[in-house]
Amino acid sequence: MTKTEVLELFKLIKSVYPNFEVTQEKIDMWADVMKGMDFDRVMARAKEHITTNKFPPTIAEISAYAPEKNDHLEKFERWKQEAAQVPESKKREFYDAVKKLIEEKSK
């Protein structure tokens, strides 16, 4: 998260918790600690916190990171596209070779 995003978060928190103190030091510290977090997810957690707590949230209570990118799904899709370009005769050859190998190994 950026300092601008932390300011927006603080604006939300301050509007609900008037005693929430906002200082430049606090903005800097929160921005530093939250720099790898996902702004939309943090805001969603802050709004959820507001509905159930009478005290302002701590960083720990509203921390949220974006899910890690899953390279495996991308690889699978790429393989699927490549496989679609392989001629059926080549696929059949491969299938027959694997079937023969399985039969030989299972004896």
Side-chain angles (χ1 to χ4, degrees):
M1 287 178 51
T2 65
K3 283 186 183 181
T4 304
E5 291 170 332
V6 170
L7 281 171
E8 192 171 331
L9 171 66
F10 280 6
K11 201 161 59 172
L12 169 70
I13 296 170
K14 183 81 173 157
S15 70
V16 177
Y17 304 102
N19 293 334
F20 182 75
E21 185 181 343
V22 177
T23 64
Q24 187 60 49
E25 182 181 6
K26 193 176 209 178
I27 293 167
D28 294 340
M29 181 59 66
W30 280 53
D32 182 53
V33 173
M34 301 178 93
K35 64 184 163 207
M37 294 186 196
D38 182 79
F39 174 71
D40 293 330
R41 290 172 188 270
V42 169
M43 287 297 280
R45 293 208 47 191
K47 289 174 184 176
E48 183 179 314
H49 178 92
I50 287 168
T51 63
T52 59
N53 292 277
K54 61 182 177 179
F55 298 106
T58 64
I59 294 173
E61 292 171 317
I62 60 174
S63 292
Y65 294 89
E68 290 186 26
K69 187 176 180 183
N70 188 341
D71 292 334
H72 299 292
L73 291 176
E74 288 180 17
K75 283 181 184 177
F76 180 75
E77 285 302 317
R78 205 168 41 246
W79 292 339
K80 229 167 104 173
Q81 291 171 358
E82 290 171 6
Q85 296 173 4
V86 175
E88 285 300 318
S89 60
K90 201 60 150 167
K91 290 179 187 179
R92 188 67 189 166
E93 281 179 40
F94 179 75
Y95 174 80
D96 290 342
V98 169
K99 185 176 176 184
K100 182 179 177 184
L101 181 65
I102 291 171
E103 288 171 355
E104 289 174 1
K105 296 293 180 183
S106 63
K107 289 182 181 180

